[in-house]
Amino acid sequence: MRCRSFLFGLPAFLAALAAPQHKLGFRFEDVTARAGLVFQHNNGAFGGKYLPETMGSGCAFLDYDNDGWPDILLVNGMDWPGRRKQRSTMRLYRNNGDGTFTDVTRRAGLDIEMYGMGVAVGDYDNDGFQDIFISCVGQNRLFRNTGKGSFVDVTERAGLGGRNAFSSSALWFDYDRDGLLDLFVANYVKWSADIDVFCTMDGKQKAYCTPEAYRGATCWLFRNRGDGTFEDVTAKSGIFDTSSKSLGVAMFDYDLDGWIDLFVANDTEPNKLYHNQRDGTFQDAALRAGVALSEEGKARGGMGADAGDFDNSGIPSLVVTNFDNEMLGFYQASKRGLYVDKAPRSEIGRRSRRSLGFGCFFFDADLDGLLDLLVVNGHIDETVTTVRRDVQYAQPPHLFLNCGPDGFRDVAEEAGGGFANPKVGRGAAFADFDRDGDLDVLITTNHGPAYLYRNDQFSGNHSIRFRLIGTKSNRDAIGAVVKIYYGGESGSRIVKSGSSYLSQSELALTFGLGKHNRVDRAVITWPNGRVEEHKNLAAGRLYECVEGKLIRDTGGF
């Protein structure tokens, strides 16, 4: 047993204390330096207390050169105009396949300054190579993968130019099921250095403003025309809403109708749940679904978001990171289309109340078949400790281990490798970067370094991995759902872009199987609705699934 329950009163509590302590079946190891990830985020702070300086930047795992090894992209900011002290750009690190990475930023054509915020990865032109979208303060940028180890800036050519904004998270998804990836971009508030508001806590010294000081900004939806250009369908799709102050976005099929919906985390405004009407339009169903507000009916400081089938019910649930003293929003599906926030009466709520969360994601850390939850934390202003002695700027992350009926337990301090050390956390993503069958973790910090944690398993649990390639569907198969059945158990995962906060995890799917060594059936529902079934698959293997063709075993871990 890895989890002890505190849900059944004093006798169970005393018995749990008397029970022997069991170590985790895995350990994190900080391999940042060993891997060669030399990176320092630059938020441009110079004392002017500009709002974007508090937000940090994201990260992504991608396979830009199609060699089967996940590469790393780290988004960066820059010095403000007129305040130039250093040159800083995003960094692309190529996975060498031996636990190390090589900085190929310049060679890849990405050595470009911009005030970057988030990243979304997707093959928008279906040419077999993953492209990169960078959300920015100012002009967002789209970089097309040439397939020759480099990228070209196609922002203007794609029709995405001429739009200055304070953009945040973004994702690729095929909302109209035409086989082409469309682009959703979240925007935070109407801000620029020219209209910066003077906020103060003591009446004299400038401080970082809260979002209430600025007007909201609508998110954007761009439809892929299939010729390398995009059409702005924000208004006619029903997405247009200038009251939003959006920071996180997660894709999922909340009503299980086969069409992708979007959850948007808003800061001090109600969250949105854009329900896909299957006719090119969306309708906000957040209030009806129970995910717009807290239990007290208040809008919280939504930052990051993710969706996942943590209880293996086949219905995805939601997590939203919020400001300190607000706790996480942990919305479990009670039945199709309706959610209940379980955080206030759980370990997740108690442990996260004093944290200020940003990046978050569901993943199976110990490969037991249940999705666990990682959350990175950090406050927005280093001077917070002078005002509130009970709150720290750098904060430890949470790693909530899924104990099934017993709920979740925070095991961050037990994970090792310095994982629980306080950080000014922002972005977070996962991938099996060393191809050993378990999921490793990448974390970014505001105005600080990035961290790569290798996951080392010693429990003997097995896993199985799937890489999907669409033919009629979009080539990345974003939106596809895989459900597996094994030994009387089941689990489901969706191929997704975006989620977390400003970040993106790998597109390949990993299922933990516990001690099971085979999968009886794997059912794939492709984004266009096509259903395929594959039987009797061995654990410890990576399977390549090409839509409309036989499954291919590409080898063991």
Side-chain angles (χ1 to χ4, degrees):
M1 290 287 292
R2 60 173 186 170
C3 301
R4 293 182 292 127
S5 172
F6 298 97
L7 302 179
F8 305 110
L10 184 60
F13 174 74
L14 294 175
L17 288 180
Q21 298 297 303
H22 298 276
K23 293 182 179 180
L24 297 178
F26 69 99
R27 175 183 172 84
F28 283 141
E29 185 71 23
D30 184 349
V31 295
T32 312
R34 192 182 320 165
L37 298 184
V38 180
F39 178 79
Q40 176 73 25
H41 174 246
N42 177 23
N43 67 6
F46 64 96
K49 299 288 185 177
Y50 285 173
L51 182 61
E53 297 167 1
T54 67
M55 308 310 292
S57 65
C59 55
F61 282 107
L62 72 162
D63 185 6
Y64 84 98
D65 53 359
N66 280 359
D67 66 351
W69 293 85
D71 310 302
I72 288 174
L73 188 139
L74 299 171
V75 182
N76 210 345
M78 61 180 289
D79 291 333
W80 297 109
R83 302 280 179 174
R84 186 180 178 88
K85 292 183 180 180
Q86 60 180 314
R87 190 174 189 275
S88 54
T89 74
M90 70 178 121
R91 312 308 296 177
L92 177 64
Y93 296 91
R94 182 182 180 274
N95 192 330
N96 298 321
D98 60 1
T100 68
F101 292 78
T102 298
D103 187 339
V104 295
T105 310
R106 185 179 296 275
R107 187 191 319 165
L110 297 176
D111 189 30
I112 302 169
E113 278 197 302
M114 65 192 79
Y115 201 104
M117 293 292 295
V119 53
V121 177
D123 182 6
Y124 78 90
D125 53 1
N126 287 334
D127 67 349
F129 293 92
Q130 293 180 333
D131 310 299
I132 298 170
F133 176 82
I134 304 293
S135 61
C136 299
V137 177
Q139 174 63 61
N140 298 325
R141 311 288 279 272
L142 176 62
F143 295 93
R144 184 178 64 81
N145 192 331
T146 65
K148 301 176 181 179
S150 63
F151 294 82
V152 293
D153 187 338
V154 295
T155 308
E156 295 295 333
R157 190 188 320 164
L160 300 177
R163 301 169 184 272
N164 287 321
F166 185 168
S167 296
S168 52
S169 296
L171 60 75
W172 297 97
F173 75 129
D174 184 5
Y175 80 94
D176 52 3
R177 303 208 322 186
D178 65 352
L180 300 167
L181 287 178
D182 310 300
L183 177 63
F184 182 90
V185 182
N187 291 310
Y188 189 31
V189 295
K190 293 286 187 181
W191 180 92
S192 71
D194 296 334
I195 59 171
D196 183 64
V197 176
F198 187 94
C199 296
T200 180
M201 288 187 292
D202 59 8
K204 298 178 181 179
Q205 190 172 1
K206 193 174 190 297
Y208 288 116
C209 294
T210 62
E212 289 93 339
Y214 297 97
R215 291 188 297 122
T218 185
C219 298
W220 292 329
L221 178 61
F222 299 100
R223 180 181 175 273
N224 191 335
R225 293 190 177 105
D227 60 358
T229 69
F230 293 82
E231 174 193 4
D232 185 344
V233 294
T234 305
K236 70 180 183 181
S237 68
I239 295 293
F240 184 83
D241 178 9
T242 57
S243 70
S244 291
K245 298 178 180 179
S246 304
L247 288 173
V249 57
M251 54 171 283
F252 69 128
D253 182 4
Y254 103 97
D255 56 352
L256 305 181
D257 67 348
W259 294 72
I260 295 299
D261 312 297
L262 298 178
F263 175 83
V264 179
N266 281 322
D267 190 358
T268 70
E269 294 290 337
N271 300 319
K272 304 291 185 182
L273 199 172
Y274 288 116
H275 179 213
N276 194 328
Q277 302 295 293
R278 300 185 289 182
D279 60 0
T281 67
F282 292 81
Q283 190 174 78
D284 181 16
L287 195 61
R288 181 173 69 248
V291 298
L293 306 164
S294 70
E295 276 195 334
E296 295 79 24
K298 296 180 180 179
R300 294 184 282 190
M303 309 291 186
D306 194 20
D309 180 15
F310 81 90
D311 55 1
N312 290 337
S313 65
I315 305 175
S317 295
L318 286 167
V319 62
V320 189
T321 56
N322 294 308
F323 212 77
D324 69 282
N325 285 326
E326 292 182 337
M327 79 175 61
L328 290 174
F330 192 83
Y331 298 101
Q332 184 177 8
S334 58
K335 58 182 179 178
R336 186 178 298 189
L338 295 175
Y339 291 82
V340 176
D341 189 354
K342 297 291 186 177
R345 289 164 295 281
S346 73
E347 180 78 355
I348 285 179
R350 288 189 292 271
R351 295 286 293 180
S352 66
R353 181 177 289 278
R354 303 295 293 276
S355 305
L356 198 167
F358 279 90
C360 61
F361 53 72
F362 289 105
F363 76 135
D364 191 351
D366 57 354
L367 303 180
D368 70 341
L370 296 171
L371 286 176
D372 310 300
L373 174 62
L374 183 143
V375 179
V376 299
N377 306 301
H379 220 279
I380 60 171
D381 191 339
E382 69 275 9
T383 65
V384 66
T385 54
T386 64
V387 180
R388 298 173 55 191
R389 295 183 179 180
D390 63 332
V391 177
Q392 299 299 312
Y393 182 48
Q395 301 178 358
H398 299 302
L399 179 56
F400 292 109
L401 215 58
N402 189 338
C403 303
D406 291 339
F408 287 78
R409 181 169 72 91
D410 192 348
V411 299
E413 293 183 358
E414 304 170 45
F419 178 77
N421 293 345
K423 305 172 181 66
V424 189
R426 293 299 185 261
F430 65 83
D432 182 13
F433 86 85
D434 53 356
R435 300 206 319 194
D436 63 352
D438 56 29
L439 295 173
D440 313 297
V441 172
L442 180 64
I443 297 173
T444 64
T445 63
N446 190 40
H447 209 59
Y451 295 88
L452 179 63
Y453 292 97
R454 190 187 66 218
N455 188 336
D456 294 329
Q457 299 280 326
F458 48 86
S459 67
N461 285 347
H462 302 298
S463 67
I464 189 170
R465 285 169 50 82
F466 298 91
R467 183 170 62 233
L468 274 60
I469 300 174
T471 53
K472 300 295 185 181
S473 302
N474 69 85
R475 196 181 191 283
D476 281 332
I478 290 173
V481 175
V482 177
K483 189 167 186 176
I484 64 168
Y485 301 85
Y486 60 101
E489 301 183 45
S490 64
S492 67
R493 307 279 189 273
I494 185 172
V495 181
K496 60 188 175 185
S497 171
S499 296
S500 187
Y501 171 76
L502 308 178
S503 301
Q504 179 164 328
S505 298
E506 68 174 349
L507 295 179
L509 301 178
T510 299
F511 291 85
L513 300 175
K515 297 301 186 288
H516 298 276
N517 59 15
R518 300 201 74 78
V519 167
D520 301 319
R521 291 190 299 139
V523 179
I524 303 173
T525 303
W526 294 90
N528 62 10
R530 180 190 179 105
V531 178
E532 297 175 355
E533 182 174 319
H534 305 282
K535 295 182 179 180
N536 196 25
L537 306 177
R541 317 295 291 182
L542 170 64
Y543 289 93
E544 184 176 88
C545 310
V546 180
E547 184 180 11
K549 298 183 180 180
L550 294 176
I551 195 169
R552 185 170 73 93
D553 182 349
T554 64
F557 307 143

